[in-house]
Amino acid sequence: MTETELRVSKIQNGTVLDHLTAGEALHVLAMLGIDGSGGETVSLGMNVPSDRLGRKDVVKVEGRELSDSEAEVLSLIAPEATVNIVRDYDVVEKRRVERPEEVSGVLTCPNSECITNAGEPADPTFAVLDDGVRCEYCGEIVRDDITAHLGDGPQSV
Ligand code: CTP
Ligand code: ZN
C-alpha cells in the first residue's frame, strides 16, 4: 500500500486523477468546472509523496466518469496526469492525458481588446502550442502561468 492510499481512501465508483503536478489540484478542479455545487463527493491529496514524481496531487471525483475530452485540458497544467476510471472499487481504465489541439471555454484571453472579452457570446478558444496557447480570435499568446487565465470553467459541467 502506498502513502497516498493511506491518506485518501479508495472510491467505489468515479474518477481518480493521479500524478497531478504537485500544487495544481485546485487549478485542476477549476479547469474541470468542479466547485462542489454539483453535489459530487470530491477528495483531494496535495503534495503527497510519489515514487515517480517526488510529490504529486491526487483528485478523486465520485460518481462521475470523466471523458477524454473533459480530461485532456489538464495536460496543460499536469502533463503527467493519469485518469483512472473506477467501477466497483476496481480501476477499469487508465489513460494518460493527451495534449489537445485546442481548448475551448476554459481559459480567458488576457488581451482586454479581444472580442472574447467584449461581452459577446464568443467562447474563448486557444490553439495549443508546444510551449503555451494562442487565442484563436486575436493571436495573443500565453506561455507562463496559464492558470492565471482560468475562466469560470466549462459551462456543460
Ligand atoms: N484508487 C482509488 N480507489 C479505487 C482504486 C484506485 O482511489 N477503488 C486510486 C489509487 O489510490 C491510485 C489510483 O486510483 O491513486 C490508481 O490506482 P491503481 O492503478 O490501483 O494504482 P497504481 O498501480 O499505483 O497506479 P499507477 O501505476 O498509475 O501509479
Ligand atoms: Zn484573444
Side-chain angles (χ1 to χ4, degrees), residues 92-107:
V92 296
E93 213 181 302
K94 186 187 290 285
R95 320 184 287 256
R96 290 286 302 269
V97 289
E98 306 230 359
R99 236 170 135 73
E101 282 179 14
E102 60 170 44
V103 295
S104 200
V106 178
L107 302 170

Side-chain angles (χ1 to χ4, degrees), residues 10-47:
K10 297 238 172 209
I11 63 171
Q12 185 173 3
N13 292 295
T15 306
V16 177
L17 301 168
D18 198 2
H19 306 113
L20 300 171
T21 308
E24 294 292 344
L26 295 178
H27 291 142
V28 163
L29 290 174
M31 273 190 162
L32 295 173
I34 296 173
D35 63 3
S37 64
E40 62 274 76
T41 300
V42 178
S43 318
L44 298 192
M46 296 177 84
N47 299 314

